[in-house]
Amino acid sequence: MAVASTPRNPTAGPLTRARRWAAGFRERDTWWAYGFLLPWLFGFVVFTAGPMVASAVLSFTDYSVISTTHNVGLANYRSIASDPYVLKSLKNTLFMTAMWVPADMAFSLLLASMLARIDRLGGFFRTVFYLPVLTPTVGVGILYLLLFNGSYGLIDRALAIIHVSGPFWQTDPTWIKPSLVIMLLWQVGTNVVLYLAAIKNVPQQLYEAAAIDGASAWRRFKDVTLPMISPTLFFTFIILTISGIQLFDQVYTAFYNPSSQGTSTDASLLAVIYLFQQAFVYFHMGFASALAWMLFGLIMVVTVVQIVVSRRFVYYEGAAK
Amino acid sequence: MRDRWKRLGSLAAAMALVAVVATSAASAHPTGGTAAKAGTLNIMGFGTNGDDVAMSRYAIAARAVAPDTVAAPNGGFNDQAFLAALASGNAPDLVYMDRAKIGTYAAKGALMPLTSCIKSQKINTKQYWPAALDSVTYKKQVYGIPEFMSVRAIIADWPVLKANGVTLADLNTRHPAKLRAAATKMFEGSGGKVSRIGFDPKLPEFFPLWAKIYGVDILSANGLVPHLNDKRAVAALSYAVSLINAQGGYGPFLSFRNTWDFFGADNQVQKQQVGAWPMEDWYVNVLAGSSPGVQTLLVPTRDLHGRVVNYTSGSAWAIPKGAKNVADACKWAKTMTATSTWVAAAKNRITIRTAKGQKFTGLRTGNAVADKAIRKLYTKINPWFDQNVTVLQNLLQHSFSIPASPASAEFQTAWTNAVNRVLQGQQTPKQALDQAQAEAVAAIKAAK
């Protein structure tokens, strides 16, 4: 591997940086690197960047695939502001995300903490917790219909054992979103594995020092474990939030597939489902593109806020303060 | 320096190769990789994995277009695949789709009017049931050739009726109060749990039927004016929802209905989990196969004046704009729906079912002449199924359908959501249908 001999100068201007970049092509390794990157770059341009640029352009048109396309300026974006279903779907999406993200993180952390204490059979339980992640999301949607049946579902039968009468999860608008969140907890396996790895990485001497100082188990968890795994928590927080805003498969399968149209309801209308309907059921591709960009903007804003706020809570070992 | 150019050249060549491969893949025919060419009829939405009725007609139609060949990849009609095909300039020659979609695609200019096709192939449009033809006619032009005809009647589980002292006359939709009394008589449930539904109005799907019973079509004949908040539609919805509320309410009602083994041997009729409900005719075939011993009787739905009303839907053949083999497409549509083809398919089905020891319960097609001929082929099964088949055949002449609309999907979403909002107690029928009317009007205005 050839190493650039010139020292890096962070204050170098764009022209200098461009020259240095071009100079890299004198090295054989640079060519190899770009050669290996080529398939990915091609895929990125064709399947991600290209469609993104196209959808940005389409969001200013009334494109419907079939009819003649006209430039409509900002009309699609104005329609977003006046369409009551956009607001409804956004409220539902944010409400579900606000419920799901902390619930998922707390549940995953609980399971990971328990797994960290198990020596024997640890591998077995890790596999058990991870297996649901392999279940297709469409399958989870179908499973939801069976488990959360308001009279004869497994959840209600279990509740009946402790003399609790379960609600009608799928028909009562108040319970639709909470029941969907509970269903999503079925697939916490990935976060459990991440948290477990982070917990195992916490230096043991920190716990020993805390124990010598008389810290209780709770204090050790709160003041040692949580700060030390905070980068992982932060990472999952961002990923889950983005996933929450993009939720689609499970909810669509449960409430919007042709055979379950009897239960589709305003309470289960999520932003991406509404986007999908506009694009592929009503063929309002221009409007759907504008919706996609609005969601992209929303995700960007939320993520930036999370990053800014996180600076106060996330501890990076060895990071300069 | 020379090496550098060599390497640059290799990189450019590699990029070009990847681009060529990708471009070729992208331009491949979206309906299965068969490029449209003369002498090939490309069909979308109708494959070679259909049932015996589909396949025997397929063979006849394939002979009609021979020596040209047919490319018909398996799988039903898919909007996304169709749109992708149109966008890429590779429109199939023929599509097989739900009649409810015809108006929307016609309004967007995706389908060809079949005027010249009908003329050139001498297709007798009078042979089709008027309701079927209405649903493929947009702005007075025919855009589809009707295929199957779905018929709806009330299926009554006779042992349940008998045990509860309910007669078939009690299930007459002409007398709503009597029907509700019959429903509550047959209903069983306690402690917030339903164990038998007396009468299921089948909401939201059958709301158009209830509106018709109360005397209103939810969409004008030209498909442009919704009548969703007509006071008769509001009354119809109020009544249909009251049937559910009288039987435990929507939550327990739907929860119980979702537990039915609809296609299995332990279906809701076999297990006496339902007294009666309106249903499409194909379910008679399901029962004949899964539980031939059930004792069901069919009751036609009637409006408040006592006239029989049959809510019908079905499929159709349509030719997209940009189709390259219009002549074959037209010939195929004609042959698939011709009287002789339907009769041949019915005879073939009788042979197949007889060999398996099964029964033939008839076919309901969009072709009135074919239906009459097929009816003569029917042989008696038992008094129960004989009654069922007779009622279904007699219903055809009283059919109505939702007319072709430029915004059929939005229109359906509007009324489906309205019914669901009422069922879930979020709005009154008037509020929900007022909202649905406003949404449907806006959608149709934008689409036409």
Side-chain angles (χ1 to χ4, degrees):
Chain A
M1 272 282 182
V3 179
S5 54
T6 34
R8 296 275 179 231
N9 178 5
T11 57
L15 202 62
T16 317
R17 281 203 296 271
R19 274 200 204 110
R20 192 176 295 142
W21 178 80
F25 284 93
R26 288 189 202 119
E27 307 296 336
R28 179 187 290 266
D29 288 346
T30 307
W31 290 94
W32 277 113
Y34 277 99
F36 283 119
L37 278 173
L38 193 64
W40 183 87
L41 281 174
F42 183 81
F44 175 75
V45 170
V46 172
F47 299 113
T48 305
M52 280 181 78
V53 172
S55 81
V57 174
L58 292 179
S59 72
F60 298 103
T61 69
D62 62 356
Y63 179 62
S64 69
V65 182
I66 311 167
S67 315
T68 318
T69 304
H70 305 98
N71 186 350
V72 296
L74 292 169
N76 288 328
Y77 291 93
R78 278 196 291 271
S79 298
I80 287 176
S82 60
D83 185 339
Y85 285 103
V86 172
L87 188 63
K88 201 168 283 182
S89 64
L90 272 180
K91 272 186 185 170
N92 287 338
T93 305
L94 293 176
F95 185 70
M96 263 197 72
T97 307
M99 272 194 295
W100 175 49
V101 174
D104 190 295
M105 290 178 71
F107 189 47
S108 304
L109 192 56
L110 176 72
L111 293 178
S113 302
M114 286 161 60
L115 276 178
R117 289 167 175 268
I118 299 173
D119 288 329
R120 296 179 70 186
L121 293 176
F124 170 74
F125 282 112
R126 276 200 299 275
T127 310
V128 168
F129 290 143
Y130 196 77
L131 271 179
V133 178
L134 306 179
T135 315
T137 47
V138 171
V140 176
I142 300 291
L143 205 62
Y144 165 80
L145 292 176
L146 300 173
L147 290 176
F148 285 88
N149 181 298
S151 297
Y152 297 92
L154 198 65
I155 305 291
D156 276 45
R157 286 180 190 217
L159 289 172
I161 294 171
I162 51 169
H163 304 290
V164 173
S165 174
F168 289 100
W169 307 95
Q170 292 157 12
T171 52
D172 184 342
T174 317
W175 283 100
I176 285 175
K177 284 187 281 287
S179 62
L180 286 168
V181 167
I182 298 172
M183 170 197 72
L184 291 171
L185 294 182
W186 165 255
Q187 294 185 306
V188 292
T190 305
N191 285 346
V192 171
V193 171
L194 287 173
Y195 292 166
L196 181 63
I199 291 171
K200 294 260 184 190
N201 268 341
V202 177
Q204 203 56 36
Q205 60 267 32
L206 294 180
Y207 289 116
E208 289 164 4
I212 290 166
D213 288 343
S216 63
W218 166 244
R219 284 296 298 270
R220 288 199 296 273
F221 176 76
K222 186 169 82 73
D223 295 332
V224 178
T225 309
L226 280 184
M228 294 303 289
I229 68 167
S230 58
T232 310
L233 290 174
F234 175 60
F235 169 74
T236 55
F237 182 46
I238 287 187
I239 296 297
L240 283 175
T241 306
I242 293 172
S243 305
I245 295 172
Q246 294 178 335
L247 264 176
F248 177 78
D249 316 22
Q250 301 94 327
V251 185
Y252 191 84
T253 309
F255 289 100
Y256 292 89
N257 80 75
S259 63
S260 67
Q261 64 170 216
T263 52
S264 64
T265 161
D266 291 356
S268 57
L269 185 68
L270 301 182
V272 180
I273 289 176
Y274 190 54
L275 190 160
F276 177 86
Q277 285 181 333
Q278 288 295 331
F280 298 109
V281 181
Y282 311 144
F283 316 134
H284 301 154
M285 297 285 180
F287 181 66
S289 298
L291 274 176
W293 278 98
M294 180 210 65
L295 271 182
F296 179 78
L298 177 73
I299 290 172
M300 285 291 284
V301 169
V302 171
T303 308
V304 168
V305 169
Q306 286 174 324
I307 289 171
V308 170
V309 173
S310 75
R311 286 180 189 151
R312 296 181 58 191
F313 302 103
V314 180
Y315 168 73
Y316 291 101
E317 205 177 358
K321 289 280 173 186
Chain B
M1 194 67 179
R2 211 168 151 192
D3 277 0
R4 188 181 166 194
W5 283 110
K6 248 187 199 172
R7 284 195 293 267
L8 196 63
S10 319
L11 187 64
M15 283 182 83
L17 184 67
V18 176
V20 166
V21 170
T23 315
S24 317
S27 63
H29 197 279
T31 58
T34 321
K37 58 176 190 253
T40 302
L41 174 66
N42 286 288
I43 300 177
M44 183 183 273
F46 190 93
T48 50
N49 59 342
D51 64 1
D52 57 89
V53 175
M55 288 322 299
S56 54
R57 289 182 305 125
Y58 184 104
I60 295 168
R63 279 199 296 274
V65 297
D68 289 357
T69 54
V70 183
N74 288 338
F77 179 79
N78 179 290
D79 290 298
Q80 284 96 305
F82 183 50
L83 291 176
L86 292 179
S88 63
N90 280 312
D93 300 313
L94 188 63
V95 283
Y96 179 71
M97 63 166 82
D98 191 328
R99 292 204 282 266
K101 293 176 187 283
I102 294 277
T104 302
Y105 281 118
K108 290 188 184 298
L111 301 178
M112 286 172 54
L114 299 182
T115 319
S116 59
C117 163
I118 289 166
K119 204 173 165 189
S120 66
Q121 286 292 324
K122 297 191 178 73
I123 299 175
N124 175 17
T125 52
K126 286 186 181 148
Q127 69 185 329
Y128 302 116
W129 289 107
L133 207 57
D134 286 350
S135 60
V136 291
T137 305
Y138 178 66
K139 291 193 174 170
K140 297 183 179 169
Q141 301 236 56
V142 175
Y143 283 88
I145 300 295
E147 233 231 13
F148 270 103
M149 187 90 157
S150 189
V151 177
R152 290 160 174 86
I154 295 169
I155 300 180
D157 191 349
W158 179 244
V160 176
L161 265 69
K162 204 171 147 191
N164 291 279
V166 173
T167 65
L168 288 185
D170 296 331
L171 301 180
N172 189 342
T173 49
R174 183 186 183 179
H175 305 296
K178 226 170 157 184
L179 175 60
R180 188 161 45 216
T184 48
K185 256 188 190 177
M186 294 187 284
F187 167 78
E188 273 181 13
S190 62
K193 271 193 177 182
V194 176
S195 50
R196 182 198 293 144
I197 289 173
F199 184 90
D200 177 8
K202 210 151 189 315
L203 290 179
E205 302 98 301
F206 282 22
F207 169 64
L209 174 64
W210 288 105
K212 185 74 174 178
I213 288 169
Y214 272 71
V216 63
D217 288 302
I218 58 172
L219 189 61
S220 65
N222 62 6
L224 300 177
V225 185
H227 301 141
L228 290 171
N229 62 348
D230 184 287
K231 63 181 180 188
R232 290 165 293 182
V234 175
L237 180 56
S238 305
Y239 172 72
V241 172
S242 81
L243 282 174
I244 292 176
N245 290 339
Q247 300 176 86
Y250 186 54
F253 190 93
L254 185 72
S255 297
F256 177 63
R257 196 170 70 180
N258 284 348
T259 64
W260 290 353
D261 180 16
F262 210 72
F263 295 96
D266 284 334
N267 58 69
Q268 69 282 6
V269 179
Q270 178 73 34
K271 291 182 81 177
Q272 302 191 357
Q273 293 173 320
V274 63
W277 85 108
M279 186 62 201
E280 289 99 337
D281 57 340
W282 54 261
Y283 197 65
V284 173
N285 288 338
V286 172
L287 289 176
S290 62
S291 46
V294 294
Q295 298 177 339
T296 56
L297 291 169
L298 295 197
V299 184
T301 45
R302 291 176 186 276
D303 66 14
L304 298 183
H305 300 289
R307 291 179 295 235
V308 173
V309 284
N310 168 41
Y311 173 31
T312 183
S313 55
S315 48
W317 295 98
I319 304 178
K321 266 200 183 141
K324 294 172 185 73
N325 197 348
V326 176
D328 275 355
C330 198
K331 205 182 285 179
W332 180 280
K334 180 195 176 181
T335 311
M336 286 295 275
T337 60
T339 305
S340 57
T341 311
W342 280 118
V343 171
K347 284 179 178 169
N348 182 52
R349 170 163 278 191
I350 291 169
T351 309
I352 290 172
R353 292 218 163 173
T354 307
K356 287 181 183 171
Q358 293 174 341
K359 302 296 180 187
F360 175 65
T361 55
L363 291 178
R364 264 74 53 190
T365 79
N367 183 328
V369 183
D371 284 338
K372 205 172 166 187
I374 292 168
R375 195 173 180 171
K376 289 178 187 159
L377 301 174
Y378 180 75
T379 50
K380 290 180 186 283
I381 301 172
N382 65 39
W384 306 101
F385 279 111
D386 295 345
Q387 189 269 359
N388 289 189
V389 173
T390 307
V391 170
L392 290 175
Q393 295 293 356
N394 289 337
L395 277 175
L396 285 161
Q397 59 193 304
H398 304 287
S399 301
F400 77 95
S401 60
I402 297 180
S405 156
S408 57
E410 291 99 321
F411 179 68
Q412 188 178 345
T413 303
W415 64 256
T416 303
N417 285 351
V419 175
N420 283 337
R421 287 194 296 270
V422 177
L423 288 170
Q424 293 172 2
Q426 293 171 294
Q427 284 180 325
T428 64
K430 175 87 172 78
Q431 288 168 337
L433 291 174
D434 276 345
Q435 184 182 327
Q437 174 75 9
E439 289 167 4
V441 167
I444 291 172
K445 191 181 166 193
K448 71 181 178 186

